[in-house]
Amino acid sequence: MDTRKTTETPADRPIRPKTRQALMIARWSIALVWAGAVVVLWPAIPRLFATFLLTFLLTNALWQHVPLKRACIMAFALTGLAAIIGELALGTSDFAAVPVLWLVDALGALIGALVSYIAMPLVDRVFNPQR
């Protein structure tokens, strides 16, 4: 039986400072680049996949600073905000479709948060087997 708490952040683990800093920069860079790509390339990327991946990447980056459950909730909220910004940036003329599109975005973000909550501890165990 696994007795490890999911509220533990990866920052609690002993990792060399330079490696930890590089990982944190890489995680935030990937999340921010994808967030920008989602807003700029919104019509070209399947919506559900875009919001799923953005939520997953944000959870991965936020988990360095807050407990996993809070990171998932924050990533879900930030992805919803990115979806709204994407709609405003595109200047969608069909305002009747905007709520439906946002629901698709919210569904992708919800799936991303749930997958992140399940997958992050598993990924952590693979990359850090000493704990």
Side-chain angles (χ1 to χ4, degrees):
M1 183 165 151
D2 188 19
T3 59
R4 191 174 136 160
K5 296 186 289 185
T6 58
T7 58
E8 179 182 298
T9 63
D12 297 334
R13 285 180 268 108
I15 298 178
R16 292 184 302 233
K18 288 186 180 188
T19 305
R20 182 174 170 190
Q21 185 179 20
L23 281 172
M24 192 166 55
I25 290 170
R27 286 174 173 165
W28 275 107
S29 298
I30 291 169
L32 292 175
V33 166
W34 183 253
V38 165
V39 171
V40 172
L41 304 172
W42 203 252
I45 303 171
R47 299 184 80 89
L48 198 69
F49 175 73
T51 54
F52 162 77
L53 187 59
L54 180 57
T55 304
F56 188 85
L57 291 171
L58 282 172
T59 301
N60 187 16
L62 287 167
W63 190 28
Q64 302 299 305
H65 310 287
V66 296
L68 181 57
K69 188 182 289 187
R70 186 178 295 165
C72 291
I73 293 168
M74 290 170 65
F76 175 79
L78 289 170
T79 301
L81 182 62
I84 292 168
I85 291 171
E87 290 298 327
L88 293 174
L90 291 175
T92 305
S93 59
D94 184 13
F95 290 107
V98 170
V100 174
L101 295 176
W102 191 85
L103 285 175
V104 171
D105 299 337
L107 179 63
L110 180 65
I111 292 169
L114 292 174
V115 168
S116 297
Y117 189 75
I118 294 168
M120 289 298 159
L122 300 173
V123 170
D124 186 42
R125 273 189 236 129
V126 168
F127 287 110
N128 299 300
Q130 70 269 16
R131 282 192 112 181

